[in-house]
Amino acid sequence: MGVLYDYFAAASDANAAATVDLDGGPGGALPVSPELRAAIAAGDRDALTRLLRPRVRLSEHGLQVLSVKGIDPVVQMGTLEELLTGVSTDVIFARPRSGLVVAVRDEGERLVLSLNDELQRALIAQPPDRLAAVAVPWLATEEFGGQADAPTLAAFLHELARLAGDALNRNHRLYCWVCV
């Protein structure tokens, strides 16, 4: 199945920590639309690609969530922050909120981690064409191991920037729920 990641915003570490015990995490159950069911039944690869692109959605728990597989909140987000800001990952990983564990369950099988505020600000500051452009060198990092494509990563970055902006407008920070 792989590792599941729900990127979301919360007003505080305590609020973010409370999501660790939500059924299905902050994202809850992923809804399957009639369009997705039809694309699966028809074997329509183009429609499946379009419909499965990462996008921010309102979960059954009332949270804006960006659910993905294969994009971890520590190493890959650190690399992304380096690409966006030019700050070395040594400095990024030394920041107090870099991968800060705010909740843990089941011996680490479920976690809620914080993302750096600097990453949140960097995402918001980027014009859309810059986010699409940074997807290419980000994809080339060894952490992806050829398991992604630039259009999907660009879509993820645009949605993460949207989530970051909405969070900032509400004075919230970014977090990631991880389920192994």
Side-chain angles (χ1 to χ4, degrees):
M1 179 184 221
V3 181
L4 304 175
Y5 302 98
D6 278 353
Y7 289 89
F8 67 100
S12 68
D13 289 353
N15 288 359
T19 68
V20 76
D21 292 321
L22 292 176
D23 189 27
L30 284 173
V32 180
S33 68
E35 295 86 6
L36 182 56
R37 288 182 205 278
I40 292 168
D44 186 341
R45 296 186 85 165
D46 291 336
L48 284 170
T49 299
R50 180 180 47 78
L51 291 167
L52 293 175
R53 283 251 160 96
R55 51 179 194 255
V56 174
R57 64 183 173 79
L58 186 64
S59 78
E60 65 190 59
H61 302 300
L63 298 166
Q64 285 190 312
V65 177
L66 178 57
S67 300
V68 295
K69 284 186 179 181
I71 304 176
D72 84 85
V74 180
V75 175
Q76 287 169 307
M77 286 296 149
T79 303
L80 173 62
E81 188 175 334
E82 179 180 42
L83 290 168
L84 292 174
T85 66
V87 174
S88 78
T89 52
D90 291 338
V91 171
I92 291 166
F93 294 145
R95 291 181 173 148
R97 295 192 60 78
S98 180
L100 174 70
V101 177
V102 298
V104 62
R105 294 290 186 273
D106 302 325
E107 298 178 7
E109 289 189 11
R110 286 180 294 139
L111 302 164
V112 176
L113 305 170
S114 66
L115 272 65
N116 283 329
D117 296 333
E118 294 83 357
L119 174 60
Q120 183 175 353
R121 287 190 299 272
L123 285 162
I124 295 165
Q126 303 305 311
D129 59 333
R130 170 77 171 118
L131 288 173
V134 84
V136 175
W138 194 32
L139 173 62
T141 62
E142 67 182 82
E143 292 86 14
F144 280 104
Q147 298 300 310
D149 62 84
T152 299
L153 282 182
F156 171 79
L157 289 173
H158 285 108
E159 291 296 298
L160 187 61
R162 192 176 109 202
L163 180 66
D166 290 347
L168 186 66
N169 289 337
R170 294 187 328 265
N171 200 28
H172 288 187
R173 289 176 145 166
L174 293 179
Y175 297 87
C176 185
W177 175 83
V178 181
C179 183
V180 179

